[in-house]
Amino acid sequence: MPPRLELRNITKSYPGIVANDDISMSIMPGEIHAVLGENGAGKSTLMKIIYGAAQADSGEIYCDGKPIAAHTPATSRALGIEMVYQHFALFESVTVVENIALAVSNTFDLDALARQITELSNRYGMPIDPHRRVHDLSVGERQRVEIVRCLLQAPKLLILDEPTSVLTPQAVVKLFETLRQLASEGCSIVYISHKLDEVQELCDTATVLRNGKVTGTARPKQSTSLELARMMVGAELPEMHVSPSVPSEKPVLEVRGLTAPARDKYGVELKNVSFEVRGGEIVGLAGVSGNGQAELISLLSGERTHGNALSIQIDGRAAAHLNASERRKLGMAFVPEERLGRGAVPPHALWQNAVLTAHRTGLVRNGLVDRKGANSFAAKIIERFKVKANGPQASAQSLSGGNLQKFIVGREIALQPKLFLVAQPTWGVDVGAAAFIRQTLVDLSRSGAAVLVISEELDELFEICDRLLVICQGQVSPPLIRTKTNREEIGLLMTKVDRGNGTNGRGEVAVQD
Amino acid sequence: MDLFIAIFTGTIIAATPLIFAALGELVVEKSGVLNLGIEGMMLIGAAFAFWAVIAGLPMPVAIIAGALGGAAASLLFGVLALTFLTNQYAAGLALAIFGSGVSAFLGRNFGSAPIDALDRMSIPFLSDIPVVGPMFFRFDPMVYFAIVMFFVISWFLYRTKGGLILRTIGESPETAHAIGYPVIRIRYLAVLFGGLMAGLAGAYLSVAYTPLWVENMTAGKGWISLALVVFATWRPLRVLLGAWLFGGMTILQLQGQALGIAVPSELLSALPYLATIVVLVIISQNRQMLALHFPASLAKPFRPAT
């Protein structure tokens, strides 16, 4: 039997980098095949090539023994190759059934299609309502829509790109059940991930990529995590040093009864949010995206102000009515989720981006920018935080995600903040840089600063945080001590806040530790 | 009663070119492309149609010539904006200026004599009904065609798969490309359709509305059509109502001038523009509705990944 899919010597370069270098692999019918690798290892590029959304510079792709010529997404779909993107390919302004109608190529009978969707989604244990608009759906529900859309085509090969990065642990279990059911029906699955435990649980075989090259193939169920990690990362990972925290007497950030309407129709209303962060500790806020994080972040950073000045206090002073600049004067620093566009101005040089928040440190005199000072300020950050960049003159957009994030975190830390807010600190950052950034956050807190980390990566939060909060539907749970909780408890809170004791008794429980 | 009928029919006629141009632009913008050059395409359409009439061609041919003139102009925009990914604002503004120049050039030899306007129909029996007849059944065919186009476009956008594809391309061309739709080709078709409709609007002006060649005879109607689309929050019915509002105000201010109201005529002439914008601004306050109908990728250049 020929393999369902075979890649021979695929090479693809983009200006400046070779994304895929001579990659060969094959996948049999009914096989669940992992493509493992760090961010930037070339996984997503390879999937785009398999799906036809990008064309390889050289190399061949065979499906069921026949070469695929003139490869586009349309030809892939005609061959039964379907892809669930990491960032979903759904249109928000139309309904589920309309979205799916766009992808299936038969007649435009929405009612019949809706019945088909209901039937199929129930059969695979992931019910969805075909008549809801996509923007009203949670991320997990959107993923179901994507998968059901693929399943309707009776695919022979299903590609999933980092499918669990936005799911709760419970949803992941559910997804794996569906995938196993599919594989048992003969569908091949290509599962892209950088999470070793998932790959070991689900996949039959794995191809490991590093810097665009295949560094090994393995049977994950028979390999140890260490073997796989070595193939992925190449070198040993730096070890984290997390010393015990010594929280300050008084909280540096205190949020009391913060209630705020949703930003827009697609936002989430914040309901009576209360928590505090003390100097010397890291508090993590977990939650599935779209549960009010965006609202909370903009209220904390000062992008949005609040009428009740006392609902947010920084270092004992009412701050909810202050704008971002005034809050920074109180000693707050902030690293937003979007590096390009909010954390930095993409086409501007690093030294110019440094001035954006560091102008208070004497880089601007009499309204004029001290270019020399700004340059050396940026150069110091580049050196201290090991940013790989072409000097302070390099533009922000020329840096890789990890290096730009190191620069932005470094810039904010150079301001010696008392309170450090950071959203998704290691999103799209390679493993090495992520470890560095996490260590930096730990070191910052141990030197006395209060650090609040908002992240969807539970592993990350468990690694560095002293206390954990969970946000769900605009409500924030009481704090949990990291060493006394576990993934299951957090996972349950991520899907439903226990309303019985959700509003009082916060803070104290954990601080006594 | 006669005055009322005159105002009513005048309104419908004055709105007709706006309906054509704005509905065409609506389709273009729904696909995520912003063509600011309606004024230029209308002028070229007007000049082509007028030229066809004085060359002795039959009226339907003249109107088709106008539409094709508009489409040719829009193709120019399409090549710049879709193939070469020029800034859409700049390309559209250039088209507006270019169209004005080309039409003036073509119109040098048109003379100042009026031509025989497009005949009005008189629909048998129906047009003889008192009041209703003259109000609804004695227009020229283009007036009815504009209304038909309204229904066709509404149906297409919201009831057909083609319309769904067009709207979703306007929301996210990346996603549409990812699931296998030829984004650029569809956008070209939308732009060409917008050009045809603007050409029709121009043709209507020069061979029916004021059958006389005057340089820059569109007098800003292209710009008003553009504003109509935005303030109508990208919804066909509101475009239609907005066009009628503008037409009504145009006729009312003409009547006002005829009655000798003691307001400078320049101010009165500005009234339709002002009133239309004010009303449309007020009805476009609902942000949620706006977010639902706004083509999110509007004016953003898109090139499929390779």
Side-chain angles (χ1 to χ4, degrees):
Chain A
M1 188 161 53
R4 176 60 42 83
L5 184 84
E6 190 179 2
L7 304 183
R8 288 187 199 159
N9 313 100
I10 296 290
T11 298
K12 170 78 178 173
S13 3
Y14 289 108
I17 53 157
V18 181
N20 288 159
D21 188 357
D22 194 28
I23 290 178
S24 300
M25 58 189 250
S26 72
I27 298 144
M28 300 305 291
E31 177 184 333
I32 304 183
H33 190 110
V35 175
L36 258 176
E38 288 196 63
N39 289 306
K43 300 180 305 250
S44 291
T45 304
L46 187 64
M47 291 314 115
K48 280 186 195 153
I49 290 171
I50 295 178
Y51 188 56
Q55 270 71 44
D57 300 335
S58 66
E60 291 128 30
I61 305 173
Y62 294 82
C63 180
D64 289 326
K66 291 187 232 28
I68 306 177
H71 202 179
T72 64
T75 53
S76 292
R77 298 194 25 236
L79 287 166
I81 301 173
E82 292 286 336
M83 175 146 174
V84 177
Y85 280 88
Q86 184 178 6
H87 304 288
F88 304 133
L90 293 175
F91 302 100
E92 303 217 344
S93 68
V94 299
T95 61
V96 170
V97 61
E98 284 176 314
N99 260 292
I100 292 178
L102 283 168
V104 298
S105 50
N106 41 29
T107 52
F108 194 63
D109 181 352
L110 293 183
D111 293 331
L113 188 60
R115 281 193 297 275
Q116 230 181 321
I117 291 166
T118 310
E119 191 250 328
L120 193 75
S121 63
N122 286 329
R123 181 146 69 87
Y124 284 96
M126 41 182 188
I128 42 175
D129 175 359
H131 295 293
R132 284 177 71 192
R133 276 184 202 280
V134 168
H135 61 61
D136 295 331
L137 302 182
S138 74
V139 190
E141 287 172 313
R142 288 178 194 212
Q143 187 175 49
R144 289 180 184 182
V145 177
E146 283 268 353
I147 294 173
V148 167
R149 168 160 88 184
C150 294
L151 295 186
L152 272 171
Q153 306 281 27
K156 290 195 286 184
L157 177 76
L158 183 62
I159 307 168
L160 295 121
D161 191 356
E162 304 265 0
T164 59
S165 58
V166 290
L167 299 183
T168 59
Q170 285 82 0
V172 171
V173 173
K174 196 87 210 155
L175 173 70
F176 282 8
E177 279 169 24
T178 306
L179 294 181
R180 287 199 192 98
Q181 188 184 345
L182 262 177
S184 70
E185 291 166 9
C187 177
S188 305
I189 292 167
V190 178
Y191 187 90
I192 308 170
S193 182
H194 63 264
K195 293 179 183 163
L196 295 175
D197 51 336
E198 290 180 355
V199 169
Q200 285 181 308
E201 191 190 331
L202 180 74
C203 301
D204 308 313
T205 48
T207 298
V208 187
L209 298 185
R210 183 170 80 235
N211 294 330
K213 290 195 182 81
V214 176
T215 52
T217 51
R219 299 209 157 267
K221 283 171 186 159
Q222 280 120 50
S223 313
T224 65
S225 310
L226 202 65
E227 287 164 358
L228 294 173
R230 274 206 194 110
M231 281 193 249
M232 244 171 92
V233 184
E236 300 288 329
L237 277 179
E239 216 171 292
M240 287 286 299
H241 299 284
V242 185
S243 53
S245 78
V246 188
S248 61
E249 282 287 305
K250 284 189 187 143
V252 176
L253 172 68
E254 194 174 1
V255 178
R256 289 245 168 270
L258 180 64
T259 297
R263 210 168 25 163
D264 51 39
K265 193 181 173 190
Y266 317 129
V268 174
E269 179 192 355
L270 291 181
K271 294 165 209 150
N272 197 17
V273 170
S274 298
F275 64 89
E276 54 188 40
V277 185
R278 293 175 185 244
E281 69 166 351
I282 302 187
V283 174
L285 182 75
V288 177
S289 74
N291 269 294
Q293 287 98 325
E295 278 77 9
L296 186 59
I297 290 168
S298 65
L299 280 163
L300 289 177
S301 71
E303 278 171 62
R304 218 172 116 181
T305 55
H306 197 279
N308 179 6
L310 286 168
S311 58
I312 299 172
Q313 292 179 49
I314 296 175
D315 212 9
R317 290 162 71 177
H321 61 299
L322 300 178
N323 66 29
S325 171
E326 290 160 338
R327 290 189 204 189
R328 279 176 175 274
K329 269 187 208 153
L330 294 179
M332 187 197 79
F334 171 51
V335 177
E337 178 178 337
E338 304 93 336
R339 279 186 283 281
L340 290 169
R342 276 174 85 210
V345 184
H348 283 188
L350 291 180
W351 71 266
Q352 291 168 315
N353 274 300
V355 174
L356 288 181
T357 63
H359 56 88
R360 259 182 267 283
T361 60
L363 296 182
V364 176
R365 279 187 307 229
N366 307 324
L368 298 175
V369 177
D370 175 5
R371 280 171 165 252
K372 237 182 172 175
N375 259 300
S376 69
F377 179 85
K380 267 184 220 149
I381 298 171
I382 291 171
E383 196 197 320
R384 182 174 156 204
F385 292 92
K386 303 188 181 76
V387 180
K388 273 184 216 150
N390 216 349
Q393 301 294 338
S395 69
Q397 65 199 4
S398 70
L399 270 61
S400 76
N403 281 303
L404 183 59
Q405 187 73 344
K406 284 201 271 186
F407 182 80
I408 294 171
V409 169
R411 174 185 76 188
E412 299 301 314
I413 285 178
L415 305 176
Q416 296 168 330
K418 284 185 218 158
L419 169 64
F420 197 73
L421 300 180
V422 54
Q424 312 296 354
T426 58
W427 190 287
V429 167
D430 60 273
V431 176
F436 183 88
I437 289 170
R438 288 180 193 140
Q439 186 66 56
T440 307
L441 293 177
V442 171
D443 295 346
L444 178 71
S445 81
R446 297 312 177 243
S447 71
V451 179
L452 177 65
V453 180
I454 295 144
S455 176
E456 283 168 38
E457 299 257 358
L458 273 186
D459 295 337
E460 170 167 280
L461 294 176
F462 269 97
E463 194 173 355
I464 61 173
C465 295
D466 302 304
R467 293 188 299 144
L468 290 167
L469 305 164
V470 180
I471 188 167
C472 177
Q473 292 166 8
Q475 290 181 305
V476 171
S477 74
L480 301 152
I481 299 155
R482 191 246 319 208
T483 50
K484 292 185 183 166
T485 182
N486 55 41
R487 261 152 240 274
E488 273 63 53
E489 189 179 8
I490 300 279
L492 284 174
L493 286 167
M494 279 161 80
T495 44
K496 196 167 168 63
V497 170
D498 182 2
R499 277 153 212 273
N501 54 8
T503 49
N504 47 23
R506 82 254 132 216
E508 286 73 19
V509 194
V511 172
Q512 284 163 3
D513 185 47
Chain B
M1 198 64 213
D2 283 351
L3 179 66
F4 172 75
I5 293 174
I7 290 175
F8 180 84
T9 55
T11 297
I12 300 295
I13 291 169
T16 296
L18 293 176
I19 295 172
F20 280 122
L23 284 178
E25 179 69 10
L26 177 77
V27 170
V28 179
E29 292 193 12
K30 277 286 187 190
S31 82
V33 180
L34 180 69
N35 185 351
L36 293 179
I38 308 178
E39 186 87 357
M41 298 188 291
M42 280 174 75
L43 280 167
I44 289 177
F48 270 51
F50 195 87
W51 166 79
V53 169
I54 55 176
L57 293 167
M59 196 52 96
V61 177
I63 289 169
I64 291 170
L68 291 178
S74 73
L75 185 63
L76 206 63
F77 169 84
V79 170
L80 284 176
L82 300 177
T83 302
F84 295 109
L85 302 180
T86 357
N87 180 303
Q88 292 180 8
Y89 295 92
L93 288 173
L95 178 63
I97 298 164
F98 173 77
S100 153
V102 167
S103 67
F105 174 74
L106 290 173
R108 279 180 317 167
N109 305 317
F110 286 175
S112 52
I115 54 171
D116 293 331
L118 180 64
D119 287 332
R120 298 201 171 183
M121 310 205 299
S122 84
I123 296 165
F125 308 118
L126 291 175
S127 59
D128 298 330
I129 305 170
V131 185
V132 175
M135 273 176 76
F136 293 103
F137 302 110
R138 289 185 194 171
F139 291 112
D140 60 70
M142 291 287 279
V143 169
Y144 301 110
F145 185 55
I147 310 285
V148 168
M149 285 313 284
F150 160 75
F151 285 108
V152 169
I153 287 171
S154 304
W155 172 80
F156 170 77
L157 282 178
Y158 295 101
R159 290 280 177 274
T160 69
K161 187 166 182 178
L164 182 60
I165 294 168
L166 187 87
R167 284 187 288 137
T168 48
I169 282 179
E171 183 192 316
S172 170
E174 293 82 8
T175 309
H177 173 71
I179 58 174
Y181 286 105
V183 173
I184 301 295
R185 200 187 315 158
I186 293 169
R187 284 188 163 177
Y188 258 108
L189 290 176
V191 165
L192 280 174
F193 179 77
L196 277 175
M197 292 289 275
L200 278 180
Y204 188 76
L205 284 176
S206 69
V207 304
Y209 191 61
T210 49
L212 181 75
W213 183 254
V214 186
E215 233 181 84
N216 283 324
M217 63 186 306
T218 48
K221 292 194 175 62
W223 302 111
I224 277 290
S225 310
L226 202 60
L228 274 178
V229 177
V230 176
F231 292 121
T233 57
W234 294 273
R235 277 185 284 177
L237 182 62
R238 286 188 171 190
V239 167
L240 185 71
L241 297 178
W244 280 338
L245 173 72
F246 181 84
M249 294 307 293
T250 309
I251 299 304
L252 279 179
Q253 65 89 9
L254 282 175
Q255 296 285 350
Q257 285 189 30
L259 290 174
I261 294 174
V263 176
S265 64
E266 289 82 0
L267 280 183
L268 272 179
S269 313
L271 195 62
Y273 299 88
L274 197 66
T276 308
I277 301 281
V278 167
V279 170
L280 291 173
V281 164
I282 292 167
I283 62 170
S284 64
Q285 286 306 299
N286 187 334
R287 288 184 165 270
Q288 293 182 358
M289 291 311 283
L290 202 65
L292 211 56
H293 294 273
F294 170 68
S297 76
L298 188 65
K300 291 182 190 142
F302 170 78
R303 192 207 299 271
T306 51

